[in-house]
Amino acid sequence: MIPVLLILIPLITGLALFATGAGRARTGSLVSSILTLVVSIAGLTVFKAVRYLKYDGSWMTSIGSRFRVELDGMGQVLCLLTAISFPLIFVSTYKNEYKNGNRFYALMMLSQAGLMGVFLAKDALLFYFFWELALIPVYFLCSIWGGERRIPVTFKFFIYTFVGSLLMLIVIIYLYFQAGQSFSIESFYALQLPHQTQSWLFWLFFAAFAVKMPIFPFHTWQPDTYEQSPTAVTMVLSGIMVKMGVFGVIRWVVPVLPVGAYLWGDTVTTLAIIGMVYASLLAFQQNDLKRLIAYSSIAHIGLMCVAIFATTKSGMQGVMIQMFNHGINIIGLWIVVNAIEQKLGTRKLSELGGLAQQAPQLAILLVVVALANISLPLTNGFVGEFLMFNGVLSSEATHYNVWFTVIAGLTIILSAVYTLYMIQKVFYGNTNALTVSATDISLNVKVALVVIVLLILAGGIFPKPMLAITNELSDAILNRMNVKSLF
Amino acid sequence: MNAILFSAVWGVVMMFCGAFVNKAATVRNAAVTGLVLLIILNIAELYGFRLMRVDTHGMLAFNSFTLVFNTVAFVSTLVYFFLSAKDMERVGVNLAEYFALIFFVLSGVAISSSFNSLMMLFLGIEIISIPLYILTGSDKKNLNSNEASLKYFLMGSFSTGIMLMGIALIYGATGTFSLERMTTVLSPGLNPLLIAGFLLLVISMSFKVSAAPFHFWTPDVYDGAPTVFTSFMATIVKVAAFAAFLRLFTGTNVEVPAQIKIIIALITAATLFIGNITAVFQQSVKRMLAYSSIAQAGFMCFALFGFNDFAKEGLLLYSAAYSLATIGVFAVLIKMKDFTFEGFNGLASYQPLLAATNTIFLLSLAGIPLTAGFMAKFYMLASAIKSGAYMWLIILAVLCAAVSVYYYFRVIQAMYFRESKEPQALSVSPAFKWGLIVIAAAVVFLGLFPQWLFAKLYF
């Protein structure tokens, strides 16, 4: 029952909000998202027996697609992330004003429903439905409430992801017939496709997720979209939506096409590493806070991709944990950006400075989030990245594990450089005419940031619960991925 | 059989109606009543009720696919009547004649979806075409309409000639017009006469469904014809031609020669490519829809490859999804004063309901999940993938589907994201709005539960 509630609560709220006023929509969406969070936590604690975590209903009987949702280890982590993120987003942007606010909140809730569905679906066609359901509301959100260049930029984003999705659809249909007209994930896992087939199917399948993550060279939509979207939507995009890509690769690509993943692992890893270094260097050059964080996100996601293809236990668990941690950290960064932008009306590094004197609380909270972004020990970022690097270094799926580790490791240093540079530019130095008028953060932002800081510390000091949740699933996936003996 | 008889009779009734009735509302009601009766009779035939026993000597064959397809076509027409019948009055004074011609077209639709003899195919296609030539030119004082009509007539006559030649060659090769008997007559191996005949038939049918490279008449005719009739031509008539096309291939048990298959693959590829790419460059939404109908025809061509259940069910679903969405888009378009993309600017702010339903139709045409258009495309792709050939064509098709997003979303962008300088006052009745809501609901419903449409196919 839990998974159905996780989808239905935001879906129904979303549809209902179209009919209400703007003020009520704001509270309504907050209440609904907190309710979802409660359900999600209940699924982890009180109702964790398997029978509560599954639902299987008949749907398109003529083609054998079923409405099958299930909360497994990785699903729990990501649903929790989605469930936590939305209240945080709503709280921290509580004071933002939107024209036709009820539609804004309604679309946000619909995208939450889509995201939940993506993480829960165990039926390929259902997965595809939710995959698109998450995208469409975001398209409207960015295009209506975004920045100046919103229409072309969002459109580019849409086309990129849509092409990816359609290629994925071909693979899903192909696998459907191979699996004897069944869309269930088990029947996909049971396939033993010839090597050559896996090899070409891999790219069609991987393309959808590579665009979403994004992996170099499919990343060009991302900085523009992050920059032009309203910040609340950017949080959804970078905090949760990019995880759809990583998640999809782990759940659908590598276990279904293990040989394809093995054959192309080095290529994908190389692309990801190029992207990491390239994005880190670009992040350093940015003047706009949003673009800087956008490039930083590309670098972090790239590492997750590398760790997946390393095919080690440590790497796989690292990815699953880091998906959660990265979501929390980057939402923290966006909250700060939103607070600054709402207050001062600019995001340009060159126009900011000396904010620490005016807003000491914001500065302290930001520094903690930023340290987590450079994955300092005791923060959650450290746990995930350490596990991933450990996994990549000890990888047996590639001959170049040492090289990959070293070059990818460089990006940690680069990440420290640009993150600290940003803090220095924004918070230290002298105040200027603009920033002298700044005041410290309001209560709602403070609450959101404090929660995030607590999550960061909790994840950094006591990661054991997360490791326990993801343990079983990562073993299962690695079992399927272990194809080296075939060669 | 019910449908063929009744629609022909009611066509005549409508003509008399024009002579004796002056009030437009009465004419309209008569037409709607006739159509509802037609639908009921057609569905009744599914349950074994026949108006009269007619021995067609095997020239027509009615199976559940035919009848379900007819139902889809007639229901689409009913929806079309509800939304656009009032706009027909603005075309000219001969309202009853327009309805009469439409009923004759429906009679042709019913013949061409159930033919079993090539003669009947020819008759059906002609009965569809001739009223259309008249409808295209019905805006008598408009030069564009006249030009479109003449062009359509000339090109249509050529293609009819080609079709007759094809039928003659096939007759020469097999000695029969009957699709079923062809099976027994045919000896294995290639027969040049047969291949040539088949090729000519494929060409003329491609013309009727406006598949490239035989599509050149489409944009001009669709653009020149009064918009209400363009809506009819682009939807019901087109899918009927497709049903005939599909039957041509599946009615026989003869394996379609590989040479014909590759030609159809090339036609499909060209249709998809030309339709989509050209649509991108249009400035008028009406012309864009003409090219979009070519592009959608490219997708429907996929039904001609796979001779499996997915192809049949897919064509049914595609007919319903495409017709409903296109009728909806056209119904909104007719209300607009300016047919360019800019004409739609800011529609969402002064007509939110029109914009919202129009968005659902456009999303369906673009093939976004949760709409019938997605499931239709899904079935087409599934049928092609199941038949196992032409992976390049499938990849081309999805890339073209992505291109189609560009021009469909331009309308959405105009409606939602751009401001209009001077909001146009549209006169829209509540009934019209309810009509749009019902179609939009149907589009979403078919997107979630497509099997509902096929339930009657197997019992």
Side-chain angles (χ1 to χ4, degrees):
Chain A
M1 234 32 242
I2 299 274
V4 179
L5 283 179
L6 287 178
I7 297 169
L8 274 188
I9 295 174
L11 184 67
I12 292 174
T13 324
L15 294 175
L17 287 184
F18 277 111
T20 58
R24 207 173 294 167
R26 186 187 310 225
T27 14
S29 55
L30 184 60
V31 170
S32 152
S33 63
I34 290 173
L35 195 62
T36 314
L37 176 60
V38 171
V39 173
S40 157
I41 292 174
L44 283 169
T45 51
V46 190
F47 297 105
K48 62 179 171 188
V50 180
R51 70 198 144 103
Y52 294 121
L53 304 183
K54 281 187 172 178
Y55 179 79
D56 188 355
S58 80
W59 183 35
M60 294 193 190
T61 42
S62 59
I63 50 173
S65 175
R66 302 184 63 78
F67 191 90
R68 245 189 89 209
V69 283
E70 188 182 331
L71 208 54
D72 62 4
M74 189 164 48
Q76 274 172 330
V77 173
L78 286 163
C79 285
L80 185 66
L81 171 68
T82 315
I84 291 182
S85 303
F86 273 81
L88 283 176
I89 293 168
F90 289 138
V91 168
S92 65
T93 59
Y94 202 72
K95 302 223 161 115
N96 293 18
E97 288 297 334
Y98 305 102
K99 196 181 159 198
N100 288 331
N102 64 325
R103 293 190 201 156
F104 180 88
Y105 289 107
L107 289 169
M108 286 288 275
M109 297 315 293
L110 289 184
S111 75
Q112 189 187 15
L115 286 163
M116 287 288 188
V118 167
F119 298 140
L120 290 167
K122 288 270 178 171
D123 179 285
L125 193 65
L126 187 67
F127 171 78
Y128 188 82
F129 263 66
F130 281 122
W131 178 271
E132 296 287 325
L133 178 61
L135 174 67
I136 299 285
V138 167
Y139 169 73
F140 279 95
L141 283 167
C142 298
S143 301
I144 298 179
W145 289 279
E148 215 172 298
R149 291 191 298 121
R150 60 188 194 276
I151 299 177
V153 163
T154 316
F155 199 43
K156 180 175 173 189
F157 159 62
F158 188 85
I159 296 273
Y160 264 63
T161 42
F162 194 62
V163 172
S165 314
L166 284 169
L167 295 176
M168 170 166 83
L169 182 64
I170 297 182
V171 180
I172 290 180
I173 299 176
Y174 186 87
L175 294 173
Y176 163 72
F177 285 117
Q178 296 294 323
Q181 306 216 355
S182 161
F183 283 109
S184 83
I185 193 164
E186 286 79 17
S187 61
F188 277 24
Y189 280 10
L191 289 172
Q192 303 277 354
L193 296 174
H195 294 183
Q196 204 167 358
T197 317
Q198 291 205 21
S199 175
W200 64 264
L201 276 182
F202 175 80
W203 279 105
L204 288 183
F205 212 175
F206 184 66
F209 305 111
V211 169
K212 210 77 167 190
M213 283 203 263
I215 294 295
F216 177 87
F218 305 107
H219 68 282
T220 56
W221 60 269
Q222 197 230 32
D224 285 342
T225 310
Y226 282 14
E227 184 192 349
Q228 294 296 321
S229 308
T231 311
V233 181
T234 316
M235 292 181 200
V236 176
L237 276 172
S238 63
I240 316 169
M241 217 159 225
V242 292
K243 309 302 184 301
M244 280 164 60
V246 183
F247 168 89
V249 173
I250 298 179
R251 164 141 308 158
W252 294 97
V253 180
V254 288
V256 177
L257 307 169
V259 176
Y262 177 77
L263 291 174
W264 292 107
D266 279 353
T267 318
V268 173
T269 308
T270 311
L271 287 177
I273 287 182
I274 293 174
M276 287 167 72
V277 176
Y278 175 64
S280 301
L281 291 174
L282 282 178
F284 192 64
Q285 308 291 327
Q286 301 303 317
N287 189 26
D288 186 306
L289 272 173
K290 274 187 154 180
R291 289 186 82 87
L292 190 153
I293 300 176
Y295 280 112
S296 138
S297 177
I298 298 183
H300 283 101
I301 298 289
L303 181 59
M304 294 183 203
C305 183
V306 173
I308 295 173
F309 286 89
T311 327
T312 52
K313 175 86 189 276
S314 153
M316 194 57 82
Q317 275 201 299
V319 177
M320 293 187 191
I321 294 179
Q322 185 65 6
M323 276 198 270
F324 183 83
N325 294 339
H326 177 259
I328 297 293
N329 297 348
I330 201 155
I331 288 178
L333 289 174
W334 291 122
I335 291 177
V336 176
V337 172
N338 182 51
I340 293 175
E341 194 184 1
Q342 291 287 319
K343 205 149 276 172
L344 300 176
T346 180
R347 301 188 303 252
K348 296 245 183 309
L349 288 176
S350 53
E351 292 174 15
L352 296 165
L355 265 183
Q357 299 163 31
Q358 310 296 326
Q361 295 176 341
L362 180 64
I364 294 169
L365 293 169
L366 170 70
V367 169
V368 179
V369 179
L371 291 181
N373 195 39
I374 20 184
S375 44
L376 216 68
L378 282 189
T379 63
N380 59 1
F382 175 74
V383 179
E385 301 229 324
F386 176 79
L387 284 172
M388 289 197 284
F389 274 111
N390 184 26
V392 178
L393 185 63
S394 60
S395 167
E396 286 172 2
T398 168
H399 299 296
Y400 312 107
N401 50 348
V402 178
W403 282 107
F404 287 154
T405 318
V406 170
I407 303 176
L410 275 181
T411 60
I412 290 210
I413 304 172
L414 287 170
S415 139
V417 174
Y418 61 72
T419 312
L420 295 176
Y421 171 77
M422 172 194 81
I423 295 185
Q424 184 195 347
K425 275 289 204 185
V426 176
F427 283 90
Y428 299 100
N430 295 323
T431 50
N432 57 27
L434 183 68
T435 55
V436 80
S437 63
T439 50
D440 212 342
I441 42 177
S442 49
L443 182 67
N444 61 328
V445 178
K446 206 188 296 175
V447 169
L449 279 178
V450 167
V451 171
I452 283 176
V453 166
L454 288 177
L455 285 169
I456 285 174
L457 293 176
I461 296 168
F462 191 59
K464 203 174 157 205
M466 282 284 180
L467 288 170
I469 296 178
T470 54
N471 186 28
E472 202 180 320
L473 187 74
S474 43
D475 275 341
I477 288 173
L478 286 172
N479 256 341
R480 291 210 36 82
M481 282 181 77
N482 197 3
V483 291
K484 196 157 187 254
S485 52
L486 296 177
F487 292 88
Chain B
M1 198 70 214
N2 291 354
I4 300 174
L5 292 173
F6 187 78
S7 53
V9 170
W10 204 265
V12 179
V13 171
M14 288 310 294
M15 286 175 76
F16 280 107
C17 205
F20 298 112
V21 180
N22 283 328
K23 268 178 75 181
T26 320
V27 173
R28 232 177 17 239
N29 290 338
V32 171
T33 316
L35 194 52
V36 171
L37 284 174
L38 178 59
I39 292 170
I40 293 172
L41 284 172
N42 188 57
I43 293 178
E45 191 166 348
L46 264 176
Y47 294 96
F49 170 78
R50 299 218 176 91
L51 282 176
M52 57 171 90
R53 305 254 158 212
V54 181
D55 184 9
T56 59
H57 298 280
M59 291 173 92
L60 294 171
F62 301 92
N63 52 30
S64 55
F65 176 81
T66 309
L67 296 171
V68 175
F69 177 83
N70 286 349
T71 313
V72 169
F74 298 157
V75 170
S76 305
T77 314
L78 184 67
V79 167
Y80 163 75
F81 275 7
F82 272 127
L83 288 180
S84 305
K86 277 198 175 148
D87 297 294
M88 282 186 210
E89 289 164 31
R90 280 194 260 141
V91 175
V93 288
N94 308 315
L95 185 63
E97 275 82 350
Y98 304 149
F99 283 117
L101 290 170
I102 287 175
F103 274 99
F104 291 139
V105 172
L106 291 182
S107 182
V109 167
I111 294 176
S112 57
S113 69
S114 59
F115 73 92
N116 197 24
S117 150
L118 293 176
M119 285 320 289
M120 280 294 146
L121 168 69
F122 171 73
L123 267 184
I125 293 290
E126 279 309 284
I127 293 178
I128 291 179
S129 301
I130 291 168
L132 283 183
Y133 302 145
I134 306 171
L135 286 176
T136 309
S138 58
D139 192 357
K140 277 191 266 183
K141 291 185 182 140
N142 185 338
L143 272 184
N144 281 338
S145 177
N146 283 316
E147 183 200 333
S149 180
L150 187 63
K151 199 177 239 174
Y152 192 19
F153 175 67
L154 286 178
M155 301 292 276
S157 313
F158 272 122
S159 97
T160 305
I162 291 173
M163 175 184 276
L164 277 179
M165 186 69 196
I167 293 175
L169 289 181
I170 291 178
Y171 185 80
T174 63
T176 174
F177 289 126
S178 161
L179 286 181
E180 273 167 10
R181 239 172 291 152
M182 241 177 247
T183 326
T184 49
V185 172
L186 265 185
S187 54
L190 283 181
N191 182 336
L193 267 185
L194 185 74
I195 297 265
F198 233 88
L199 186 61
L200 291 178
L201 262 184
V202 166
I203 288 175
S204 72
M205 288 309 290
S206 302
F207 174 89
K208 295 293 177 197
V209 301
S210 65
F214 312 102
H215 67 284
F216 289 101
W217 60 276
T218 317
D220 289 345
V221 171
Y222 283 13
D223 203 18
T227 314
V228 261
F229 299 130
T230 311
S231 169
F232 184 69
M233 269 194 273
T235 54
I236 293 134
V237 173
K238 176 169 278 198
V239 298
F242 258 109
F245 209 163
L246 181 67
R247 197 174 170 94
L248 189 61
F249 284 126
T250 52
T252 62
N253 293 320
V254 186
E255 178 80 8
V256 175
Q259 292 89 334
I260 297 287
K261 270 193 172 171
I262 187 83
I263 284 171
I264 292 178
L266 291 174
I267 287 177
T268 310
T271 311
L272 283 166
F273 188 76
I274 293 173
N276 281 298
I277 299 295
T278 324
V280 165
F281 297 106
Q282 302 307 314
Q283 295 309 317
S284 142
V285 175
K286 193 176 173 187
R287 249 187 125 75
M288 179 276 276
L289 283 170
Y291 281 103
S292 124
S293 88
I294 297 176
Q296 301 278 354
F299 250 101
M300 283 189 255
C301 284
F302 272 104
L304 306 175
F305 292 109
F307 303 104
N308 45 44
D309 291 345
F310 279 93
K312 275 189 162 186
E313 294 174 2
L315 190 68
L316 269 184
L317 187 59
Y318 215 111
S319 308
Y322 167 73
S323 300
L324 288 179
T326 309
I327 288 172
V329 174
F330 267 110
V332 175
L333 180 74
I334 295 169
K335 303 286 175 199
M336 306 301 292
K337 294 213 174 65
D338 179 1
F339 285 175
T340 61
F341 284 94
E342 285 74 31
F344 280 84
N345 279 359
L347 185 70
S349 58
Y350 59 93
Q351 281 291 1
L353 190 107
L354 256 64
T357 45
N358 205 14
T359 304
I360 292 178
F361 304 143
L362 290 164
L363 290 178
S364 179
L365 287 175
I368 306 283
L370 287 182
T371 61
F374 168 74
M375 286 317 294
K377 285 204 166 74
F378 172 87
Y379 270 82
M380 288 299 168
L381 290 176
S383 124
I385 291 175
K386 191 178 182 190
S387 69
Y390 305 121
M391 204 48 161
W392 60 269
L393 185 60
I394 293 160
I395 292 177
L396 175 78
V398 301
L399 292 179
C400 285
V403 173
S404 79
V405 166
Y406 177 82
Y407 51 85
Y408 292 129
F409 273 52
R410 263 179 83 186
V411 182
I412 298 180
Q413 286 171 354
M415 291 190 303
Y416 278 93
F417 314 144
R418 295 184 204 280
E419 304 294 326
S420 132
K421 290 201 180 68
E422 54 214 83
Q424 303 176 334
L426 302 177
S427 56
V428 182
S429 67
F432 180 77
K433 284 189 180 171
W434 279 108
L436 286 181
I437 292 176
V438 170
I439 309 183
V443 166
V444 174
F445 178 79
L446 284 180
L448 284 172
F449 306 102
Q451 70 267 28
W452 185 83
L453 191 64
F454 318 133
K456 282 275 161 282
L457 274 186
Y458 317 99
F459 70 96

